[in-house]
Amino acid sequence: LLTKAMPHKTTFLNYRSALALTVVIVLSGISFPLIKIFFGEMQPIAMAFLRSLIALPLLLAVAYYRNPNIKGVLKNWKALLLVGVIGVTAYQLLQNFGLVYATASESSVLLCTDPIWIAIMASAFLKEKLDAKKIVGIVVAFVGMSAIVLRGSAGTFTFTPLGVFGDLLAVGGAFSWALFSVYGKKVLEKVSPYDRSAYMTLFGTILLGARTFGWEGFSLPVSLGGW
């Protein structure tokens, strides 16, 4: 009905969504080499905690501006806690520790297998149709991205015990993000995207902080460039 009544608006929304997702992909890709470089200044868990902590005030401010009914949002605290565990705590830890043992190129390729897991989970749990066109698109995109990323000086994955361990962590990160994407879509039936982003980050940051102080000990960047 929306397509028939407001075709131009629908097209605009589609392009806006595509642009937003493209920006997410670019920012995500930039993070891999930056995290790898940053390991010289901070431990993996402390880094994950600090980056979430820096983003948290802005996310909470936007969420509150859009919806000041915090009590109403937190009625769904169990769902928000779960997406925080999956999409913030687990994902960042698996990503960071994967980058400790594997190269940035390897990790970026393996973490980018999440569309495969998302498509499978969405088909199973959200009843989204997984047709041949989607399957072919996923395979072609992954093969093309792998060819671009892995054509550098190394050109291969590092088949060492620690390298393989890092690769497995990266795959775990992809699986974690896929699980968040599918379950997070269900959570959006209860809260807005702004509220979900803010409060899942709040819960995820608290859990990262507990792990940081309980395991590594908290540290700060040692240089202006690190900040």
Side-chain angles (χ1 to χ4, degrees), residues 184-202:
K185 187 174 178 66
K186 299 292 290 184
V187 175
L188 289 177
E189 297 174 0
K190 303 176 181 179
V191 300
S192 73
Y194 304 98
D195 290 328
R196 190 194 71 174
S197 296
Y199 293 100
M200 65 174 272
T201 303
L202 173 62

Side-chain angles (χ1 to χ4, degrees), residues 10-34:
T10 303
T11 302
F12 170 74
L13 291 174
N14 289 341
Y15 280 124
R16 188 175 68 175
S17 297
L19 178 60
L21 291 171
T22 301
V23 172
V24 170
I25 293 169
V26 171
L27 293 176
S28 177
I30 292 172
S31 72
F32 292 108
L34 291 179

Side-chain angles (χ1 to χ4, degrees), residues 96-117:
N96 285 7
F97 278 106
L99 281 165
V100 169
Y101 300 109
T103 66
S105 296
E106 289 176 24
S107 293
S108 66
V109 170
L110 294 171
L111 280 163
C112 286
T113 60
D114 55 2
I116 298 173
W117 306 116

Side-chain angles (χ1 to χ4, degrees), residues 129-164:
K129 186 177 180 182
L130 185 60
D131 55 23
K133 185 183 295 185
K134 289 183 180 180
I135 295 173
V136 171
I138 290 170
V139 172
V140 171
F142 179 69
V143 171
M145 178 200 58
S146 300
I148 293 171
V149 173
L150 297 178
R151 68 176 183 172
S153 57
T156 59
F157 286 95
T158 53
F159 289 105
T160 63
L162 287 179
V164 172

Side-chain angles (χ1 to χ4, degrees), residues 60-142:
L60 288 173
V62 171
Y64 183 78
Y65 174 77
R66 303 282 302 195
N67 178 19
N69 184 15
I70 298 176
K71 186 176 180 180
V73 175
L74 291 180
K75 288 180 180 179
N76 303 290
W77 70 268
K78 292 181 180 179
L80 293 167
L81 173 61
L82 185 55
V83 290
V85 170
I86 299 169
V88 178
T89 307
Y91 176 75
Q92 287 207 47
L93 292 181
L94 288 166
Q95 173 186 258
N96 285 7
F97 278 106
L99 281 165
V100 169
Y101 300 109
T103 66
S105 296
E106 289 176 24
S107 293
S108 66
V109 170
L110 294 171
L111 280 163
C112 286
T113 60
D114 55 2
I116 298 173
W117 306 116
I118 291 173
I120 294 172
M121 290 183 191
S123 176
F125 299 111
L126 300 180
K127 307 305 179 184
E128 294 184 4
K129 186 177 180 182
L130 185 60
D131 55 23
K133 185 183 295 185
K134 289 183 180 180
I135 295 173
V136 171
I138 290 170
V139 172
V140 171
F142 179 69

